[in-house]
Amino acid sequence: MNEEIKRAILEKIKAYHRIMLFRHIRMDGDCVGASKGLKEMIRATFPDKEVLLVDEQHSDFLAFLGPDEDGVPDEAYRDALAIVVDTSEKSRISNQKYALCREIIKIDHHIETDPYGHLNWVEEERSSACEMIADFYASFREEWVLTKEAASFIFLGMVTDSGRFRFSGVTGETMRLAGLMLDAGVDTETLYANLYLQDYEAMKFKAYVYEHMERTENGVAYIDVTQDMRRQFGLNLEAASSVINYLENIRGCLCWLAFIESDEPQEGIRVRLRSRFMTVNQVAEKHHGGGHACAAGATVYSAEEMVSLIREMDEEAGKYKETHEGWL
Ligand code: AMP
C-alpha cells in the first residue's frame, strides 16, 4: 500500500544530510517509539547523516526509553528535513521549531484534517504510527539496517497504541510487522516489565479511584481527579491522567471518562474519553476536542460543562445499548 509515497519519503531521507524527528505534545508510547525507532533506523543505515530528536517534554512513564538530544541552534533546523510522526495537526507538534525546517514529512495514522507536510503519508486504519514505521522498514527491507534498539522502540509503540494488540484496528498485517520487529531481538520481558510495573504509591491511588469512581444509568464510568486528590497522592499531570486506564474493564460500562484538573484553573479540565464497541469522539468534538472513535480527548471549563458532557455521553451509551446487541 502507498508504495509511491513511501519511496518518495525514502528518497528525501537519502537526499538530506540533517534529519530531524518531531512528535506530539503529551507524548505517548507510539509517538516516542515511532520517533526514536525511525531515528535509530536512519542512523544505523546512514551513519554519516545527522539525525536529531529535540523535544523538551518529559514523561516519567517513558523515561526508561532514554533521553533525547539537547536543543540545537535555530540555524540547524533551516537546512534539515523534518519528519513528524503520529501528529494529526500542526498545533499539536511538541517542538514548534519544526516549521523552520526546509521540508516537512508527515507520517500519521489519525484522521487527516491538516495535511501540513510537503509529503503526507497518512493511513487512518493503521493501529499505530509505529506500525507504519515497521511497514516502512518492511517495504525496503533490503535497504534498511534494523537494530535491536530500533526494533524495540517500534515494537513498544505497536504494543501500547493497540492496547497490547487488543483493539479492533489490529490486523494480521499488524502481527506480521510486529513479528519482524521481534525477529530483530526485542527483549520482551524487560519491555513488558517497564510497561506494567507500578510504584506502591500508584497502587494506593488506584485503590482510591476504585472506591470513588461513579457510574451513570446507562453505564458511563467516570472519575474526577481534583487538585486536592492530586496533592494528596503527589500526582503530576501525567500520573493523574493515567487514571483513565483503571476504568476500562467494567462489564456494562461501554465508555469511561477521566476528568483531570490542571494546575492552572484557566487551562480547564482535561477530559479523556475511552470506549469499546461505541464511539466517543463525537462528544469530544463538542467540547474543544476530538480524536479516534474509541479514544478521544477534550477540555471542559466548568463543573456545569463536566455534568453536560457526562449527560451527553450517557445518552449516547443509552442509544447504543438500545440499538445494538452483543456488547459487553
Ligand atoms: P488522550 O486521552 O489525550 O490520550 O487522547 C486520545 C486521542 O484523542 C489521541 O489520539 C489524541 O490525538 C486525540 N485528542 C486528544 N485531545 C484532542 C484534542 N483537543 N483535539 C483533537 N484530538 C485530540
Side-chain angles (χ1 to χ4, degrees):
M1 240 199 328
N2 282 320
E3 297 310 314
E4 260 174 52
I5 183 94
K6 283 184 274 185
R7 171 55 70 185
I9 293 172
L10 181 60
E11 293 309 321
K12 286 287 175 202
I13 291 172
K14 287 181 181 170
Y16 274 81
H17 171 66
R18 185 178 303 115
I19 297 153
M20 304 191 69
L21 282 301
F22 299 87
R23 59 195 177 204
H24 60 75
I25 52 171
R26 289 177 183 160
M27 61 166 88
D28 60 13
D30 193 25
C31 79
V32 174
S35 53
K36 282 183 178 286
L38 184 56
K39 183 182 85 173
E40 292 309 323
M41 256 170 70
I42 300 172
R43 275 191 178 168
T45 309
F46 306 103
D48 294 335
K49 290 190 191 294
E50 205 179 332
V51 197
L52 300 172
L53 176 48
V54 177
D55 187 354
E56 285 172 4
Q57 306 180 91
H58 173 79
S59 157
D60 290 341
F61 292 143
L62 297 168
F64 72 91
L65 295 173
D68 301 314
E69 276 80 37
D70 292 333
V72 290
D74 286 2
E75 281 315 303
Y77 290 82
R78 295 195 206 284
D79 55 359
L81 172 68
I83 305 181
V84 187
V85 294
D86 195 35
T87 311
S88 55
E89 288 167 29
K90 50 184 173 302
S91 59
R92 291 176 61 82
I93 300 174
S94 62
N95 177 356
Q96 283 290 321
K97 289 191 177 171
Y98 82 94
L100 298 175
C101 291
R102 188 180 297 163
E103 279 188 289
I104 297 160
I105 291 174
K106 172 183 185 180
I107 300 179
D108 188 31
H109 73 126
H110 295 90
I111 295 160
E112 179 64 289
T113 51
D114 182 8
Y116 54 77
H118 296 93
L119 289 175
N120 298 286
W121 174 29
V122 176
E123 291 191 21
E124 292 164 14
E125 61 289 351
R126 291 283 188 183
S127 67
S128 61
C130 277
E131 182 182 320
M132 296 175 71
I133 303 299
D135 175 65
F136 191 36
Y137 161 73
S139 297
F140 310 108
R141 213 169 153 178
E142 61 297 339
E143 295 188 55
W144 284 119
V145 175
L146 182 70
T147 61
K148 173 180 167 177
E149 195 185 12
S152 302
F153 287 134
I154 298 166
F155 184 75
L156 172 114
M158 296 181 78
V159 166
T160 54
D161 235 41
S162 66
R164 318 299 193 244
F165 300 116
R166 259 184 322 127
F167 299 157
S168 57
V170 173
T171 61
E173 175 74 350
T174 311
M175 302 311 270
R176 280 187 287 278
L177 291 168
L180 276 183
M181 298 302 108
L182 291 180
D183 288 345
V186 179
D187 172 359
T188 47
E189 189 174 5
T190 303
L191 186 145
Y192 283 106
N194 274 311
L195 288 178
Y196 279 97
L197 292 180
Q198 292 180 21
D199 292 335
Y200 184 81
E201 295 74 21
M203 287 281 194
K204 288 282 187 193
F205 174 56
K206 202 172 193 175
Y208 182 92
V209 170
Y210 287 133
E211 279 291 332
H212 292 84
M213 65 187 180
E214 300 203 48
R215 182 176 54 167
T216 65
E217 195 182 335
N218 293 307
V220 177
Y222 63 93
I223 182 85
D224 178 14
V225 184
T226 60
Q227 290 203 12
D228 277 350
M229 271 163 78
R230 287 186 50 199
R231 265 191 295 274
Q232 185 187 340
F233 289 95
L235 303 169
N236 63 18
L237 262 189
E238 186 188 29
S241 301
S242 71
V243 72
I244 188 68
N245 302 319
Y246 303 164
L247 304 180
E248 72 181 342
N249 290 319
I250 307 170
R251 195 182 294 282
C253 291
L254 302 192
C255 71
W256 51 101
L257 314 171
F259 298 90
I260 299 111
E261 295 188 9
S262 38
D263 304 316
E264 305 297 332
Q266 71 274 14
E267 283 175 13
I269 301 168
R270 178 183 183 192
V271 192
R272 306 190 81 190
L273 306 90
R274 298 289 186 272
S275 62
R276 58 181 172 274
F277 302 109
M278 59 177 289
T279 62
V280 286
N281 52 342
Q282 75 284 19
V283 171
E285 279 160 21
K286 289 190 203 157
H287 297 274
H288 319 278
H292 303 280
C294 295
T299 307
V300 293
Y301 291 91
S302 64
E304 292 74 37
E305 194 181 355
M306 189 191 292
V307 171
S308 315
L309 188 149
I310 295 169
R311 197 182 325 108
E312 287 159 31
M313 212 56 257
D314 182 62
E315 280 167 20
E316 293 294 327
K319 272 190 247 161
Y320 186 89
K321 286 182 169 179
E322 265 175 34
T323 50
H324 294 77
E325 289 180 353
W327 45 265
L328 292 160

